Amino acid sequence: MLRRCISAEWMKLHHSHIWIILMILPILSVLIGSANFYMNQGVLTKEWYSLWSQVGLFYGEFFFPILIAICCAYMWRLEHHNKNWNMIMTAPVSTTSIFLSKLIVVGVLMIFVQIFFFILYFLGAKLVGITSELPGELLGWLLRGCISALTISALQLTLSMRIRSFAAPIGIGLCAVFIGLGMYVIHLGLFFPHSLLTTGMGVLSQTSLSPGEDLLFIIINLLYLIIISAGAIRRMGKSDVVA
């Protein structure tokens, strides 16, 4: 049943324009960050790390969370039109399969975005003249970015499920970005979904996480993911749908 739901979600995305957004925002992040790095090489002297600090600031702190919010809102767009909620909730499909299929598809899309971003980051580095080896922390930044992106996806899917407006959950997601930034500044970056992304991807500090911090990072993301997803699935099963 879950496999069929996932196939249905992919079919809905096949002819959509979401792919354009998935590509444009990472491109903008790397273009802006690389240009800023190129014009300030006298100050930004740590090559790959300095470039990551520039592209990561735009991508990991702003564009990536907004991209997640847009994708999640789009995943519920069809359900919120033409009373499709009534059809879905009366179909022989469990609420668990409905929610998890959307979460899995968004997760796969975010992995694609991360890979695409890495390619752009690498090409941007070569264009600005960086010739040294890639930083050893890069893989960890990208993987932790995928993990925290899944947590944020669960949160944004829940918001988009309950709010019929396409723009409102995205606006809430943008507000959460600034809350996450504040949590990071006061050294509580491991305790809020959006600040987990900032911490995990080394957006503002390119230092590596210790093994203990890595374990805590994974545990907290897993807890958020389970709690948010379970709450959303339960809400779908217990609440009346406003179509």
Side-chain angles (χ1 to χ4, degrees), residues 160-203:
S160 295
M161 178 186 75
R162 298 303 303 171
I163 303 172
R164 295 191 65 183
S165 167
F166 183 85
I170 299 173
I172 295 172
L174 181 59
C175 293
V177 166
F178 292 102
I179 294 173
L181 181 58
M183 294 285 285
Y184 180 87
V185 169
I186 61 175
H187 305 292
L188 294 174
L190 289 174
F191 301 99
F192 188 74
H194 289 71
S195 55
L196 282 167
L197 180 61
T198 302
T199 302
M201 287 195 67
V203 171

Side-chain angles (χ1 to χ4, degrees), residues 8 27 29 31 67 70 75 80 115 125 146 169 172 199 215 232 237:
I27 290 173
S29 302
L31 285 176
L67 182 58
I70 292 172
M75 295 299 292
H80 288 312
I115 294 172
C146 290
I172 295 172
T199 302
L215 180 60

Side-chain angles (χ1 to χ4, degrees), residues 12-166:
K12 288 191 289 185
L13 292 175
H14 186 64
H15 296 292
S16 72
H17 299 295
I18 195 69
W19 303 101
I20 299 175
I21 300 174
L22 292 177
M23 298 180 71
I24 287 178
L25 292 183
I27 290 173
L28 286 176
S29 302
V30 174
L31 285 176
I32 296 171
S34 297
N36 193 46
F37 171 84
Y38 184 76
M39 292 184 293
N40 295 278
Q41 292 187 67
V43 179
L44 303 171
T45 59
K46 295 184 179 180
E47 297 194 324
W48 291 101
Y49 294 94
S50 294
L51 180 61
W52 184 266
S53 72
Q54 299 306 300
V55 300
L57 178 62
F58 294 99
Y59 174 75
E61 192 61 46
F62 296 104
F63 289 151
F64 194 30
I66 293 172
L67 182 58
I68 295 170
I70 292 172
C71 285
C72 291
Y74 194 89
M75 295 299 292
W76 290 108
R77 182 173 175 270
L78 184 62
E79 282 77 359
H80 288 312
H81 284 76
N82 300 322
K83 297 184 178 181
N84 284 328
W85 265 114
N86 294 332
M87 180 179 66
I88 290 173
M89 297 306 291
T90 56
V93 181
S94 68
T95 55
T96 300
S97 295
I98 294 173
F99 186 85
L100 290 183
S101 63
K102 294 180 183 296
L103 181 61
I104 290 170
V105 169
V106 172
V108 172
L109 291 176
M110 293 309 108
I111 292 173
F112 162 78
V113 170
Q114 286 286 80
I115 294 172
F116 183 57
F117 174 70
F118 163 71
I119 294 171
L120 293 173
Y121 169 67
F122 182 81
L123 293 176
K126 295 306 176 183
L127 287 174
V128 298
I130 296 176
T131 57
S132 57
E133 294 184 358
L134 286 166
E137 297 88 349
L138 181 59
L139 181 59
W141 292 335
L142 293 171
L143 288 176
R144 285 192 293 268
C146 290
I147 294 171
S148 49
L150 194 61
T151 299
I152 296 174
S153 297
L155 177 60
Q156 289 293 153
L157 280 172
T158 302
L159 290 172
S160 295
M161 178 186 75
R162 298 303 303 171
I163 303 172
R164 295 191 65 183
S165 167
F166 183 85

